[in-house]
Structure formats: C-alpha cells, structure tokens
Amino acid sequence: SEEKKKIKYTDEDIAILKDIEESIKEMEVARALFNSVSDHKLIELAIHEEDVARTRFDYLIVMAKRRGLRKIE
C-alpha cells in the first residue's frame, strides 16, 4: 500500500481548522439552546447565534478549501 504523504500545515492552517471545529461546536450549542428554551427573546438569540456560527463556518470552509486543507486526524 502507498504510504500517506505527511502534510505540513502552517500555524495559520491549523488555526483555520481549529476555528472550523469551534464554529461547529458553537452551532451545536446554539441549537441546544433553541431546543431547550421557550422564551421568545432566547429563541431569537439562539437563532442569531446559530446564524453567526454558520456564517463563520461557511467562510472558514471556503478558506480551508482554497488552501487545500483537510481535517486533522
């Protein structure tokens, strides 16, 4: 079998990948908040927080693709 190439990531590459993981967690937290509250203002807050995290995630994914980054195992 072919040996996998060892990919060298810059500090910035690693930061982007970690930020992607963080934005996923932020979306999960916002979704959990949305599912656990009944107050209208908290529901709006949860929706807003998830939208912000999703926008950040989408931006970071574009950046990662441009750099040819893959998930760090």
Side-chain angles (χ1 to χ4, degrees):
S1 68
E2 243 181 83
E3 194 175 314
K4 284 187 178 181
K5 287 185 193 175
K6 189 71 175 171
I7 299 171
K8 285 274 198 175
Y9 288 124
T10 66
D11 289 345
E12 191 174 351
D13 292 342
I14 292 167
I16 289 170
L17 293 170
K18 286 183 178 180
D19 286 348
I20 288 170
E21 290 176 7
E22 173 122 355
S23 65
I24 291 169
K25 288 176 188 166
E26 289 170 358
M27 287 186 283
E28 291 170 350
V29 167
R31 178 58 53 172
L33 176 64
F34 178 85
N35 289 332
S36 67
V37 297
S38 57
D39 180 89
H40 182 69
K41 288 290 184 189
L42 288 177
I43 291 169
E44 284 183 21
L45 174 66
I47 291 168
H48 174 71
E49 291 294 324
E50 187 173 15
D51 286 346
V52 169
R54 168 68 60 188
T55 300
R56 183 169 175 247
F57 173 82
D58 290 344
Y59 170 77
L60 291 166
I61 290 294
V62 169
M63 295 296 294
K65 284 181 179 179
R66 284 184 186 158
R67 292 169 163 266
L69 303 181
R70 297 284 178 256
K71 183 177 178 182
I72 299 174
E73 297 297 329

